[in-house]
Structures are given as structure tokens and as C-alpha cells.
Amino acid sequence: MTTVMLDLPTTFLKEYSFQIVISIVFISAVSLTIFISLAIYKWNTRHISKLAEAMRVIGAGDFGHKIALNTKGMIVTLVREINDMSENIDNKFKKLQTISYNLFSSIELNAALKTSLDAILELTGGTVGLIMLVNDDETRLDFAMAEGIKPKIVGDDIFIRHGRFAVQLSNDFREWIKNPANNRIFSVEDLNNIPAATHIMEWLNAAGCDFFAPLLLKDQLKGFFLYSCELRGSVNFLNTLFYQITMAIENARLYHLAVTDGLTGLYNHGYFQMRLKQEFQRVHRYGTQFSLMMFDIDHFKKFNDTHGHQIGDMILREVAKILKYQSREVDIASRYGGEEMAVILPETDINGAAKLAERIRLIVERYRFSHNLKITVSIGLSYCNSKAPADKETLIKHADIALYRAKAEGRNRVCAASNE
């Protein structure tokens, strides 16, 4: 009995000590768990805060922003994906900025058309593209610009790879294309079962293209874009892109109408004077040179009196067509007034101008005009460099004197003025 009473406190103390140890271990484990959890929470919170701040910066428009985190695990994958997304957006945004700037800085119609076509081919990686514009009453198509194919124009007909384009637009087609639901990009597969789009299928097949986009502006049909490779992106992005292209082309077209002579298609007198002034400024600033060609249709009044003004207008149009075809892209061919036309020849000396003038004179002489009429032209040339003449009025006067001399010497010839 005495032995039992002496052993109880010892057993109790051992059990109590064991419980204390267990409690201490448990409390330590819980404390360590809480500490680790708090550390992980703070670590994650810090990185998540950095991610949130980076997304705020990117969302504000800084698409070139990069996230830099010294960490591992799944969060690294998330950071990499965000950085890649930001870089892709930044590249596309910069490309669209360049395209937009080029589009709206191209005030010349041909430049706007070329910029638009280049933009689509660059975005798609394609090699074939075609732009067709419609006339003011939306009944007829006219060829505007192409890349990768060479349309041939014969009279009012347009041929591509021996396929003939239908240039007249039907009422059914105009109603169909102006439906807001159809203001989008179409593939060949989309158009197969659309009766109103038969013409489009003909154009696509002839041009070797697979995609078609209408150019619409304020419910008015301006033209069509045909291209070979798919242009990817959201519907809003694609619609915005083609709307910008349409606006740029329309602005350039309106400007072209303002500076173009309605009868001949040459630049008008006002535009000629403006460009002549600019060439003079370039000469005196950079020490360049240029020549001026002025020519007159021989006995034009006689043709008008004998055959009527309609025949006279026809002669003016056909001579202007020869002039435009023979001129370089940088030359400024203009209708100066009446039957008199003028061409500014940048970076061209008097000998180069004389060769071009003689070629034009010879082509006109040999050309078979309507009603079997024989036409000749007299041409006067003048030349400008940094030494002479002093102003553009004197340059025009020199060319006029040379033109009068060509007429006085028997017409159908080229005469050059001296700068002396």
C-alpha cells in the first residue's frame, strides 16, 4: 500500500510532462505554419501586387511595359504570357500607327491607294491585291490599283488573266452590299450561296483572290478590296481598319477631283502653278534642276469649227491620254488652258526634256484618232536651275516663246528656249 502511494506522483509527473511536450510541439507547429503561411501570403501578395500594377500600366496604353519578377513556379508562366501578350499588342499597335499615319498623309490618290494596298498585303503576308472604285452614282466599277496582277484596260472593259470583269453594278448587288450585316470581310466560301454576289465571285476568280471587303462610308459604296491571304483579327478591328482605308481613299479622291481638270483628267491650272512654285523652291534650296514643257494642238480652232466641240473635246482627251501615258510618275502633266497643256519635269535637263517632247510629238503624229483625224502638236521647252531664270513667270514666258517659235517655223516640231 505504501509502495503504491509513493509511485502515483511519479507516473502523474511523467504523463504531465509528456502532455506538456506534446502541447509545446503542437503550438510550435501551429506557430510555424502560421508564420510560413503569412510569409507565403506576403510573398504572393507582393508579386500579385506587381502583376496588378503591370496590368494597370499596360491597360493605360504602355504596351511595351515588361514585368520583371525573380521567382519560380506557375507565376513565372503567367508573367511570361503577360509579357508576350504585351509585346504582341505593342507590335501590332505600332504597325497600325504607321499604317494610319501613312494613310492619312497620302493626299495624292495614287499614293493613298498604294499605301492602302501595301498595308493589307503587309498585314496578311499576301502577294496579290486589287482595289476597285465605283463612280458617283454607284453603277459602275473602275480599276484603281493592283499588286501581283496586271489588269488590262481595253476601252470600257477590264481584263485580268484573260478573264473579263463585269464593270456594271446591279441594283440587287447594291442593296445587298449596303445591308449593315454585309459590311464585313467575305471569303470565297461565304459568297458561294449568295446570288447577289455573283459579280464578286467573277472578280475573285479572275484576280486569283480569296477574300473580299467592301469600302463603305456613310452608307455610300466607294469601292472594293480583293486580296489573296486571310486577314485575322476581331470584327471591330477589321471593320475599323477598312473604314480608315475607305476614309483615306475618299479624302484623296476628293482632293484629286479638286486639282484635276474634268475633261482631260490632267491636273488643272491651279495645281500646276502650285507645283511649279514648289519646284522653284527646291531648285534654290537644294541646287536641283527641272524642265518645263508646254505644247499646243495645231489648228485646234479649225477642228472645232469644222467638226464641232464634241470632236474637239475627244481630241483633247486622247492627246491628254498620250501625255499621261508617256510621262513619268514624278512628272506633273496639266491642262494649262484651252488646248494648251504643260508638263513639269523634275530632275530633268533640257536634253532629257527634248527627247521626251520629240517622242510625244511623234506618237501624236502617228496616232489614229477617232474619225480618222490627223493631229499634230507644237512643243516649247524651257529649263530651270539655281542660276536662272529668276522666277516661275519668266520660266513660263521662255517656254511660251519657244512654243510660238515652233508654230512660226511650221508647227509639228519641238523648240527649246535659252536661259540667256
Side-chain angles (χ1 to χ4, degrees):
M1 190 70 174
T2 305
T3 304
V4 173
M5 291 179 65
L6 290 173
D7 289 341
L8 281 175
T10 304
T11 304
F12 177 76
L13 288 173
K14 287 182 179 179
E15 290 180 358
Y16 182 73
S17 299
F18 182 70
Q19 290 176 0
I20 291 174
V21 170
I22 291 175
S23 298
I24 292 172
V25 171
F26 176 75
I27 292 171
S28 299
V30 171
S31 299
L32 181 62
T33 301
I34 293 172
F35 175 78
I36 293 173
S37 298
L38 287 172
I40 293 173
Y41 172 78
K42 289 182 179 179
W43 182 86
N44 282 333
T45 301
R46 185 170 66 253
H47 287 83
I48 291 172
S49 296
K50 285 187 177 181
L51 285 176
E53 175 63 17
M55 294 302 291
R56 186 191 66 78
V57 172
I58 294 171
D62 185 3
F63 302 124
H65 182 74
K66 295 291 184 182
I67 305 171
L69 292 179
N70 185 19
T71 184
K72 297 180 180 180
M74 288 298 295
I75 198 166
V76 175
T77 303
L78 177 61
V79 168
R80 188 182 300 117
E81 292 294 329
I82 292 174
N83 282 337
D84 289 345
M85 176 195 71
S86 176
E87 184 176 1
N88 290 334
I89 293 174
D90 189 45
N91 291 337
K92 181 168 285 189
F93 183 72
K94 288 178 179 177
K95 184 175 289 186
L96 287 176
Q97 276 186 316
T98 302
I99 290 171
S100 181
Y101 174 79
N102 290 338
L103 278 174
F104 288 98
S105 62
S106 303
I107 196 167
E108 297 284 350
L109 181 57
N110 282 341
L113 292 168
K114 184 70 165 61
T115 301
S116 301
L117 191 53
D118 288 347
I120 295 300
L121 294 182
E122 182 181 356
L123 290 172
T124 62
T127 57
V128 179
L130 176 69
I131 302 177
M132 304 291 289
L133 299 180
V134 302
N135 61 356
D136 290 336
D137 60 5
E138 302 178 4
T139 60
R140 175 191 164 82
L141 276 175
D142 290 312
F143 165 71
M145 183 70 64
E147 184 71 34
I149 51 176
K150 292 183 178 180
K152 184 178 181 181
I153 303 173
V154 181
D156 290 334
D157 294 327
I158 302 173
F159 294 87
I160 298 178
R161 297 193 181 107
H162 306 293
R164 179 182 178 276
F165 266 87
V167 296
Q168 299 299 323
L169 299 178
S170 66
N171 291 330
D172 289 344
F173 175 80
R174 295 202 301 274
E175 285 185 21
W176 172 77
I177 201 63
K178 285 189 175 184
N179 186 324
N182 297 324
N183 185 15
R184 62 184 180 88
I185 295 173
F186 292 88
S187 67
V188 171
E189 290 76 14
D190 295 332
L191 299 170
N192 275 330
N193 299 317
I194 302 176
T198 302
H199 287 335
I200 303 177
M201 291 297 297
E202 294 175 357
W203 304 331
L204 290 170
N205 292 333
C209 294
D210 297 312
F211 297 93
F212 156 85
L215 301 178
L216 291 162
L217 187 64
K218 296 180 180 178
D219 297 326
Q220 290 185 324
L221 181 61
K222 299 300 179 180
F224 307 106
F225 221 118
L226 284 67
Y227 55 98
S228 54
C229 294
E230 186 174 7
L231 176 59
R232 297 183 179 275
S234 68
V235 173
N236 289 337
F237 164 74
L238 297 177
N239 285 344
T240 300
L241 175 62
F242 277 103
Y243 185 75
Q244 284 190 326
I245 287 174
T246 306
M247 284 183 62
I249 292 176
E250 179 64 6
N251 289 339
R253 189 186 71 85
L254 293 174
Y255 177 77
H256 180 75
L257 290 175
V259 301
T260 303
D261 174 62
L263 177 63
T264 63
L266 301 175
Y267 288 115
N268 58 29
H269 184 85
Y271 185 80
F272 165 80
Q273 291 288 351
M274 180 188 73
R275 291 300 302 270
L276 190 62
K277 180 180 179 180
Q278 290 174 351
E279 286 301 316
F280 247 91
Q281 291 171 344
R282 289 182 67 248
V283 164
H284 293 292
R285 181 176 299 174
Y286 303 112
T288 58
Q289 60 181 353
F290 74 97
S291 293
L292 175 63
M293 178 193 307
M294 299 195 70
F295 69 94
D296 196 74
I297 300 174
D298 296 329
H299 303 296
F300 185 73
K301 186 176 184 303
K302 178 181 176 182
F303 280 103
N304 269 341
D305 293 341
T306 304
H307 302 285
H309 286 86
Q310 287 185 335
I311 298 299
D313 289 348
M314 177 273 299
I315 292 173
L316 285 172
R317 283 193 295 267
E318 294 192 24
V319 171
K321 188 182 297 184
I322 293 172
L323 185 59
K324 285 193 291 186
Y325 185 77
Q326 293 299 320
S327 299
R328 302 168 301 176
E329 188 174 347
V330 296
D331 297 335
I332 300 100
S334 311
R335 185 180 182 187
Y336 191 78
E339 73 274 20
E340 196 169 9
M341 302 178 189
V343 186
I344 302 171
L345 306 168
E347 300 289 347
T348 306
D349 61 18
I350 197 67
N351 293 325
K355 290 178 181 178
L356 174 61
E358 180 59 25
R359 184 167 72 245
I360 292 173
R361 184 202 65 79
L362 193 59
I363 290 172
V364 172
E365 182 184 37
R366 295 175 176 177
Y367 189 82
R368 182 178 295 178
F369 287 85
S370 301
H371 304 283
N372 291 320
L373 295 174
K374 298 296 292 182
I375 307 297
T376 61
V377 294
S378 297
I379 303 177
L381 303 173
S382 60
Y383 168 73
C384 178
N385 58 22
S386 57
K387 296 179 181 179
D391 50 54
K392 64 185 180 70
E393 287 75 21
T394 304
L395 181 71
I396 294 172
K397 182 179 179 181
H398 286 174
D400 270 335
I401 291 172
L403 175 59
Y404 295 149
R405 190 168 79 246
K407 286 182 172 295
E409 292 177 2
R411 294 183 171 83
N412 190 26
R413 66 191 64 217
V414 177
C415 287
S418 169
N419 276 6
E420 298 298 326

